[in-house]
Amino acid sequence: MRAALMAFEDRDYAWDSPSRRAFLGGSNRAVKGIVIVCIVVFVVQLLSARAPRIYDQPLMSGLFGLDPSLLGIGQVWRLVSYGFLHGDLWHILFNMLWLYGLGRYAEDRLGAKEFLLFYFASLIAGGLIFSALELTPGIGPGGDAVSTCIGASGAVMGVIMLSALWDPHKQISLIFITVPLWLVAGLYAIFETYEVLMRVGAGTIAADGVAHGAHFGGLLLGWLYFKFGWNFDEALDRVTGRLPRFTFRGLKRSVGVGPKVRLHRPETADEEDDELERRADLVLAKLHASGESSLTRKERKTLKLYSEQAKAKRNRS
């Protein structure tokens, strides 16, 4: 998003909050990890600015930016990698402020794994819609005029939309005024939808250098995720659960190599009950801290088993 920097501070996650943990430690490691990777990649972009160009783009953009014309030849990694590149200091600063401010709230609710899956899904959704607008005859420029998209904006828009749907009255400080989050998300949704409709209906390409299609895709994914109660971690578990499993541990065991490790297995019913109760306590603590949507399929199964166990004990007494 090539836009003027807006000073950003979420009151619930104030930058100068006395309860804030050190940046590299504590919670919200997924958000912090993304921010760190983006900063490192941006430094590499600056250092490689005079390197030979690739596809008529600066080195990093040529290798990892989203050029829709290259997706057809198998370079699908660009649907994710473009989100770690940025055009200038204001571009990365704007995106990282929004991500760090609202991303922590979203990660707390979803858990680190589900947040990462949602973040990358938003990037991909934004990349696909941007690519469709660039390549569709009569809408996109076509040929050598196809644009290259860089920036985390699509994923950031997904985080903004999802956070606004969860807590529309959350207060956000923008320079000198404080506004509810629903207003920020609503204005973005109206503006980006307008730009996409103008592109589709009239073939008008905005001259502001902003990838409105990517923004729209992220906003749309955030809305769909909330509307239909999606959980990518559970969906992934269902898909991978149907696949045959192969582990190097199993291979080592079959050929007789590797250390012999003895695992503790509960030997009595009481030990099994205690172990289930211990795991249930951990899941309940996560449920209290991050909400039901943060629980994985395995954790939900643990709570179900614990509930059945407690009911059976009550029936026996």
Side-chain angles (χ1 to χ4, degrees):
M1 293 171 197
R2 300 176 184 277
L5 173 66
M6 295 191 293
F8 175 84
E9 178 184 347
D10 179 352
R11 286 185 174 182
D12 293 337
Y13 289 90
W15 293 96
D16 57 352
S17 169
S19 64
R20 180 171 61 87
R21 294 178 175 87
F23 182 80
L24 294 177
S27 59
N28 306 123
R29 293 185 178 181
V31 168
K32 294 172 184 177
I34 294 170
V35 172
I36 291 171
V37 172
C38 286
I39 292 173
V40 170
V41 170
F42 184 65
V43 171
V44 174
Q45 286 182 260
L46 296 177
L47 294 176
S48 62
R50 292 190 290 180
R53 297 171 70 85
I54 296 179
Y55 297 117
D56 200 31
Q57 294 284 335
L59 178 64
M60 293 295 287
S61 296
L63 289 173
F64 303 109
L66 179 54
D67 182 340
S69 63
L70 298 176
L71 297 177
I73 61 173
Q75 297 188 16
V76 293
W77 67 81
R78 296 175 181 273
L79 286 169
V80 171
S81 62
Y82 81 97
F84 295 96
L85 304 170
H86 289 86
D88 54 40
L89 180 61
W90 300 120
H91 191 198
I92 188 173
L93 196 55
F94 182 87
N95 279 341
M96 295 303 102
L97 283 171
W98 276 110
L99 176 60
Y100 190 66
L102 284 180
R104 291 175 295 160
Y105 169 62
E107 185 181 347
D108 284 342
R109 290 199 57 155
L110 295 175
K113 183 178 179 181
E114 179 65 15
F115 174 79
L116 286 174
L117 291 172
F118 171 78
Y119 184 87
F120 289 127
S122 298
L123 268 183
I124 293 171
L128 288 173
I129 291 183
F130 169 81
S131 299
L133 292 175
E134 289 292 307
L135 297 176
T136 302
I139 297 177
D144 295 334
V146 170
S147 300
T148 296
C149 179
I150 59 174
S153 308
V156 170
M157 287 294 172
V159 172
I160 291 174
M161 176 57 76
L162 184 59
S163 300
L165 291 169
W166 279 334
D167 190 357
H169 299 291
K170 193 177 189 67
Q171 297 297 302
I172 302 295
S173 295
L174 304 176
I175 307 182
F176 304 115
I177 62 172
T178 299
V179 298
L181 185 53
W182 69 261
L183 181 61
V184 176
L187 289 175
Y188 270 128
I190 292 170
F191 180 68
E192 301 302 345
T193 301
Y194 168 80
E195 291 293 341
V196 169
L197 291 177
M198 286 293 293
R199 180 78 175 265
V200 173
T204 303
I205 301 177
D208 55 8
V210 176
H212 295 290
H215 296 184
F216 178 81
L219 290 167
L220 179 62
L221 193 283
W223 180 81
L224 291 172
Y225 185 91
F226 177 85
K227 176 70 174 178
F228 296 104
W230 289 346
N231 186 295
F232 294 130
D233 190 19
E234 288 187 3
L236 195 61
D237 282 345
R238 286 195 295 269
V239 172
T240 57
R242 298 190 182 100
L243 299 176
R245 297 188 178 275
F246 171 84
T247 64
F248 286 102
R249 182 184 301 173
L251 178 62
K252 288 181 178 180
R253 192 180 298 122
S254 67
V255 297
V257 298
K260 305 296 184 183
V261 180
R262 296 183 62 87
L263 299 178
H264 171 71
R265 301 290 185 188
E267 296 179 357
T268 67
D270 288 340
E271 285 187 17
E272 290 180 353
D273 290 349
D274 291 343
E275 175 65 16
L276 179 59
E277 183 175 359
R278 184 190 67 80
R279 288 189 284 118
D281 286 342
L282 294 175
V283 176
L284 288 170
K286 180 180 177 181
L287 176 66
H288 178 73
S290 304
E292 184 180 353
S293 61
S294 68
L295 300 184
T296 65
R297 188 181 181 185
K298 184 176 181 180
E299 289 168 337
R300 293 171 192 269
K301 185 177 180 180
T302 296
L303 289 182
K304 183 179 179 181
L305 290 173
Y306 181 67
S307 176
E308 292 173 350
Q309 180 196 81
K311 183 178 180 180
K313 285 183 177 180
R314 287 195 302 269
N315 291 336
R316 289 196 299 267
S317 60

